């Protein structure tokens, strides 16, 4: 009897080979890759450690002709699924005026703690031609026909809960270092899968699905999309704990220096560095949590290169189009 090949499917389903493949690709795109981004969450059972599979950072600096050094970080959670699995997402049915989605919240530009005022509006270009989705589900197109959402929900949650620690680590680095090393940063959380992605057409219904022979009868294949996530009370508690625990460790003089610079340059007072930190530490204003945590990109392996190129191009453009603060 031949040797069992179950080990191959088990190895692939661990997503470790996929992570390594993705890491090598990101290195080829001039990113520096860390094997994971770790963070902790407090629950009724105590403190538990979690992580996102990959944290990849690209450095925009003087070698590229940029007057402003900056970083772009992709937080990537990998999900390797069986070949028969497809991921199906459903679009946001709300009118744009009532939608929870906000232009510029998928690729975030955080310059609030630096001495540079970037044109954040340019980041909204990413959201102009992408599907906004409320929910996703995995469909096994084999004879098993299983349908579930656990892996998608788990991946989205891992990414969302990593963001508070990620943001604070960058703020701390900016304010604790030399003034010349205080740089703005861009980031995007990405749930990456080898499964094909589909977005259901607006007219989809139970009856339409019942009469369909294939998923493509009522859905469009896409390379990537944006999923909107609510700000749950547990996430607010987690975010508040991260920022309230470390806010006193920030150098007060440096923080006030950045605060005074940005206010003098015409920054809206409600978006001052100190006000943002207070909002995140004490949940005074949920708008900041919503801006930082509410939108995650879901991408197929096929579309990943296109996504990386587009995000890098937009970040470059933002760095080349500064808001005047002379």
């Amino acid at each position: 009897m031949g040797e069992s090949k179950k080990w191959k499917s088990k190895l692939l389903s661990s997503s470790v080979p996929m992570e390594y493949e993705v890491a090598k690709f990101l290195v080829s795109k001039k990113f520096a890759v860390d094997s994971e981004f770790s963070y902790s969450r407090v629950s009724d059972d105590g403190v538990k450690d979690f992580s996102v599979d990959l944290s990849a950072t690209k450095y925009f600096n003087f070698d590229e002709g940029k007057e402003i050094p900056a970083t772009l970080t992709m937080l990537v959670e990998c999900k390797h699924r069986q070949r028969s699995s497809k991921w199906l997402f459903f679009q946001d049915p709300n009118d744009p005026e009532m939608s929870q989605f906000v232009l510029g919240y998928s690729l975030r530009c955080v310059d609030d703690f630096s001495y540079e005022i970037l044109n954040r509006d340019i980041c909204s270009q990413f959201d102009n031609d992408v599907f906004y989705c409320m929910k996703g589900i995995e469909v096994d197109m084999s004879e098993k026909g299983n349908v579930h959402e656990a892996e998608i929900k788990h991946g989205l949650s891992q990414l969302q809960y990593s963001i508070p620690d990620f943001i604070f680590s960058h703020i701390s680095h900016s304010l604790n270092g030399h003034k010349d090393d205080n740089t703005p940063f861009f980031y995007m959380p990405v749930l990456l899968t080898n499964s094909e992605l589909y977005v259901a057409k607006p007219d989809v219904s139970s009856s339409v699905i019942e009469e369909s022979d294939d998923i493509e009868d009522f859905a469009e294949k896409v390379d990537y999309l944006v999923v909107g996530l609510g700000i749950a009370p547990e996430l607010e508690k987690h975010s508040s704990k991260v920022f309230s625990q470390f806010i006193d460790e920030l150098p007060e003089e440096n923080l006030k220096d950045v605060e005074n610079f940005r206010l003098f340059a015409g920054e809206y007072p409600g978006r001052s560095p100190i006000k943002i930190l207070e909002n995140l530490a004490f949940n005074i204003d949920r708008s900041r949590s919503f801006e930082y945590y509410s939108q995650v990109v879901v991408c197929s392996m096929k579309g990943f290169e296109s996504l990386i190129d587009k995000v890098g191009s937009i970040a470059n453009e933002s760095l080349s189009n500064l808001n005047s603060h002379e």
Side-chain angles (χ1 to χ4, degrees):
M1 181 177 293
E3 182 180 336
S4 172
K5 302 299 183 183
K6 288 184 179 180
W7 65 268
K8 285 198 287 188
S9 62
K10 297 288 186 180
L11 176 58
L12 290 171
S13 64
S14 73
S15 294
V16 174
M18 179 181 175
E19 291 171 27
Y20 186 61
E21 181 181 353
V22 173
K24 290 190 295 181
F25 166 75
L26 287 167
V27 168
S28 75
K29 291 290 186 177
K30 299 183 179 181
F31 283 80
V33 179
D34 290 327
S35 59
E36 62 181 26
F37 179 81
S38 300
Y39 62 98
S40 298
R41 286 172 58 180
V42 178
S43 66
D44 295 337
D45 299 326
V47 179
K48 293 184 178 181
D49 293 330
F50 294 85
S51 65
V52 171
D53 292 330
L54 297 171
S55 173
T57 301
K58 185 172 185 178
Y59 296 85
F60 299 96
N61 52 39
F62 294 104
D63 293 337
E64 296 171 315
K66 293 296 175 190
E67 296 180 359
I68 300 174
T71 59
L72 164 64
T73 299
M74 308 295 290
L75 293 167
V76 184
E77 181 73 6
C78 298
K79 293 291 183 183
H80 187 281
R81 313 304 297 155
Q82 297 296 324
R83 291 185 179 181
S84 58
S85 293
K86 300 182 187 298
W87 285 13
L88 174 65
F89 290 81
F90 293 84
Q91 294 185 60
D92 176 19
N94 290 296
D95 291 331
E97 295 80 6
M98 302 298 293
S99 175
Q100 65 174 330
F101 292 92
V102 179
L103 297 179
Y105 282 13
S106 301
L107 170 61
R108 282 80 151 194
C109 170
V110 184
D111 64 350
D112 306 281
F113 303 89
S114 75
Y115 294 93
E116 303 296 343
I117 299 180
L118 305 184
N119 190 337
R120 291 187 293 263
D121 292 342
I122 290 177
C123 289
S124 66
Q125 292 178 11
F126 177 84
D127 296 294
N128 287 335
D129 57 355
V130 68
F131 285 107
Y132 298 132
C133 298
M134 298 184 68
K135 201 165 189 178
I137 196 161
E138 183 171 340
V139 182
D140 185 350
M141 304 300 290
S142 71
E143 292 183 356
K144 295 180 180 179
N146 295 322
V147 175
H148 54 85
E149 58 181 341
E151 288 296 323
I152 295 176
K153 290 182 68 174
H154 178 263
L156 293 172
S157 177
Q158 288 284 88
L159 287 162
Q160 190 181 36
Y161 274 83
S162 74
I163 298 174
D165 290 80
F166 168 80
I167 291 176
F168 192 88
S169 68
H170 275 66
I171 294 173
S172 179
H173 174 77
S174 294
L175 294 177
N176 278 294
H178 190 276
K179 183 176 179 179
D180 291 342
D181 296 325
N182 184 333
T183 60
F185 62 96
F186 303 83
Y187 73 96
M188 175 180 281
V190 180
L191 180 57
L192 185 64
T193 180
N194 64 311
S195 293
E196 294 179 337
L197 301 181
Y198 287 86
V199 175
K201 297 175 182 178
D203 61 351
V204 70
S205 64
S206 298
S207 60
V208 168
I209 295 175
E210 285 178 352
E211 297 171 1
S212 299
D213 295 320
D214 190 88
I215 197 169
E216 294 188 356
D217 293 339
F218 59 86
E220 176 182 345
K221 185 189 292 187
V222 299
D223 288 336
Y224 49 81
L225 53 93
V226 174
V227 174
L229 303 176
I231 309 300
E234 183 181 351
L235 176 63
E236 287 188 319
K237 290 180 181 178
H238 172 65
S239 176
S240 178
K241 183 172 181 61
V242 170
F243 283 89
S244 62
Q245 182 176 354
F246 298 112
I247 190 172
D248 291 335
E249 298 179 7
L250 296 175
E252 184 176 358
E253 183 177 348
N254 291 356
L255 179 58
K256 286 186 176 180
D257 192 23
V258 174
E259 171 98 354
N260 292 334
F261 167 83
R262 298 188 69 84
L263 290 176
F264 182 77
E267 183 68 273
Y268 171 60
R271 199 181 178 91
S272 75
I274 293 176
K275 183 66 68 175
I276 290 175
L277 289 173
E278 289 176 346
N279 287 339
L280 293 169
F282 308 114
N283 291 324
I284 299 172
D285 181 357
R286 300 186 74 218
S287 64
R288 216 47 62 212
S289 295
F290 192 78
E291 175 181 351
Y292 290 151
Y293 312 147
S294 64
Q295 290 174 203
V296 173
V297 174
V298 181
C299 185
S300 67
M301 284 288 284
K302 179 183 176 183
F304 194 48
E305 181 171 11
S306 174
L307 174 69
I308 292 297
D309 290 344
K310 183 173 185 177
V311 169
S313 176
I314 293 173
N316 254 318
E317 186 176 350
S318 180
L319 291 170
S320 301
N321 292 269
L322 306 181
N323 284 335
S324 176
H325 55 274
E326 298 297 331

